[in-house]
Amino acid sequence: MNAEQLVRDTLHEWADERTPPVGADLAGRALLRRRRRRATAVTVAAAAFALLAGGVVVPELAERDQPGHSGPGRMMTGDVSAYPGESPPRHLIAAGDVAVSAYQADRKTHNQDGMKRTTYTWHLYSPRTQRYEKTNWGWLDVAPGMKQAAVLEKTLPASRVGILDLDTGKVTKWIPLEHKAGGVQWSPDGKRLAVTTYSGYPDIETTARDRFTPHARTGYYLVDVDSGRKEYRPMGVDMDDGFVGVGRIDVRWSRDGTLLVVLGPPGGAIETWYDLEGRAKEKAPQYEGLDAAPSSLSPDGRYYTVGDGWTATVKETGTHRTVGPSSGMALAWADNDRLVRWECPPDRRCTRDWGERLVLTDPTGRIKTPLTGYRYNDTPQDWDPRITRR
């Protein structure tokens, strides 16, 4: 056994000893699982895709039931940019209509006086260098088309949101905010922003109500990027006797951009959906909601994905028949017939950061193209991708 295999097997053994996080109650545990899903939330839609010059087009891998294999294989198509030896990636990771536009890494967690504070470092793909570059931004999101990003300054919550030109690496516009922001997300059409505001640093966890309140969500802005017009809506976090402070609770867009979802605390409604006028809706859109995987509906509407926070299953929309076995969380549809998802370690419990890698699969999950190397929690290989339509 070589050194690399020994380290990998040891990490897998540690993963089996690790227990999943639990909250005060079932709702708390559900929200904690959703919080981990939000780190890899994606905006998915059909679009044309072209690889940047200098990226590596990997010979397509037709791996069948060989999830541990990471070497090169046979070509399936020519629109895959993959680096199976890189974790986190240094070069463009892309397939079909989507790409990893940025990722969080260098996660640091500090525990003090019953409060856990987590900080991240963002790495953003640069068309100029054709690499992921470390940034000084506190939070960011890349617009569909990957021409610009919305950025918040390092010290969160921030008093303004910037629009960053990815070709030049310069901020072209600053939009001032009367209420400080901790999170931002582009609408699926790339024209608006949902900007979530907080009273303090958002990425904290605590069961102490008095420590959570100074960091809680306060509301959100809807911002028209071209004009800079913005509308603010207060939207606090109700706390009851079952309170568990789980940190960041960003407002997110629906798949088609016509609704917003506001996550709630344990003990209350886990998700509430609103139209763009601020009116609450009775239920989530079809193929979205608590049991949906981030990939949601395929571009042609033939398939949809359901998940539990760690794994996902592909089903047919017409029959609701399960297409293949449950596998790693499905993040985005690369096109009508291919998914970008996390691959779980073989014969291991699928949990975040313990031996997962990004792969491109068919709907059944049996044909795999490795896109990245494996990631492991609390190591230099700890990272979370942001996947964006090209």
Side-chain angles (χ1 to χ4, degrees), residues 52 125-131 133 165-170:
L52 296 179
Y125 184 73
S126 168
R128 293 173 295 123
T129 65
Q130 297 176 10
R131 286 175 174 259
E133 302 290 351
D165 185 303
L166 296 185
D167 288 326
T168 65
K170 297 184 181 300

Side-chain angles (χ1 to χ4, degrees), residues 85-100:
E86 295 183 2
S87 178
R90 297 184 299 275
H91 303 86
L92 180 68
I93 303 301
D97 296 339
V98 298
V100 174

Side-chain angles (χ1 to χ4, degrees), residues 83-366:
Y83 291 83
E86 295 183 2
S87 178
R90 297 184 299 275
H91 303 86
L92 180 68
I93 303 301
D97 296 339
V98 298
V100 174
S101 59
Y103 63 84
Q104 295 173 338
D106 302 325
R107 183 184 291 106
K108 295 179 176 61
T109 301
H110 304 279
N111 292 280
Q112 186 175 5
D113 298 329
M115 186 166 68
K116 180 188 296 184
R117 179 187 178 100
T118 303
T119 58
Y120 310 89
T121 299
W122 283 93
H123 294 70
L124 181 63
Y125 184 73
S126 168
R128 293 173 295 123
T129 65
Q130 297 176 10
R131 286 175 174 259
Y132 296 99
E133 302 290 351
K134 183 178 178 179
T135 78
N136 289 320
W137 302 116
W139 201 261
L140 62 82
D141 190 35
V142 178
M146 288 179 60
K147 297 297 184 183
Q148 56 187 357
V151 295
L152 299 177
E153 290 166 301
K154 189 68 173 179
T155 303
L156 298 178
S159 59
R160 58 182 183 174
V161 57
I163 306 301
L164 181 73
D165 185 303
L166 296 185
D167 288 326
T168 65
K170 297 184 181 300
V171 174
T172 60
K173 178 187 296 187
W174 285 106
I175 301 171
L177 305 171
E178 293 76 23
H179 306 269
K180 291 187 176 182
V184 60
Q185 187 186 40
W186 287 90
S187 61
D189 62 7
K191 296 180 179 179
R192 295 164 293 177
L193 298 173
V195 181
T196 309
T197 60
Y198 293 87
S199 53
Y201 185 77
D203 291 294
I204 61 103
E205 296 182 27
T206 178
T207 57
R209 187 191 306 260
D210 60 339
R211 292 192 179 97
F212 179 76
T213 302
H215 299 266
R217 185 186 64 209
T218 56
Y220 67 94
Y221 284 98
L222 288 181
V223 179
D224 180 88
V225 175
D226 286 344
S227 67
R229 291 196 310 270
K230 55 186 184 290
E231 181 180 357
Y232 183 71
R233 297 197 180 115
M235 186 70 66
V237 179
D238 296 329
M239 303 177 194
D240 59 20
D241 292 337
F243 165 79
V244 176
V246 293
R248 178 179 296 276
I249 314 177
D250 284 353
V251 174
R252 298 183 290 106
W253 293 93
S254 66
R255 182 177 57 86
D256 64 2
T258 62
L259 298 174
L260 294 162
V261 57
V262 177
L263 300 173
I270 299 297
E271 288 185 342
T272 305
W273 292 81
Y274 293 87
D275 65 20
L276 301 188
E277 303 303 319
R279 297 183 292 255
K281 311 299 288 185
E282 292 186 359
K283 59 182 181 180
Q286 192 173 19
Y287 309 119
E288 298 185 65
L290 284 175
D291 63 345
S295 50
S296 186
L297 192 67
S298 65
D300 62 359
R302 182 180 176 185
Y303 302 109
Y304 67 100
T305 51
V306 295
D308 63 3
W310 304 116
T311 61
T313 302
V314 180
K315 294 178 177 288
E316 291 181 340
T317 54
T319 65
H320 302 291
R321 181 180 67 89
T322 298
V323 174
S326 178
S327 187
M329 181 51 62
L331 303 181
W333 288 94
D335 51 35
N336 292 331
D337 299 302
R338 294 180 299 171
L339 276 162
V340 175
R341 67 193 308 168
W342 287 114
E343 180 187 49
C344 298
D347 304 320
R348 303 281 179 173
R349 183 178 65 249
C350 191
T351 58
R352 184 197 175 281
D353 281 354
W354 285 90
E356 299 169 299
R357 62 177 175 178
L358 284 184
V359 296
L360 182 68
T361 77
D362 68 335
T364 70
R366 295 189 177 94

Side-chain angles (χ1 to χ4, degrees), residues 2 10 17 64 77 79 117 161 188 232 284 287 313 328 339 370 374:
N2 59 30
T10 301
E17 296 172 1
R64 294 180 180 270
T77 64
D79 63 351
R117 179 187 178 100
V161 57
Y232 183 71
Y287 309 119
T313 302
L339 276 162
Y374 295 92

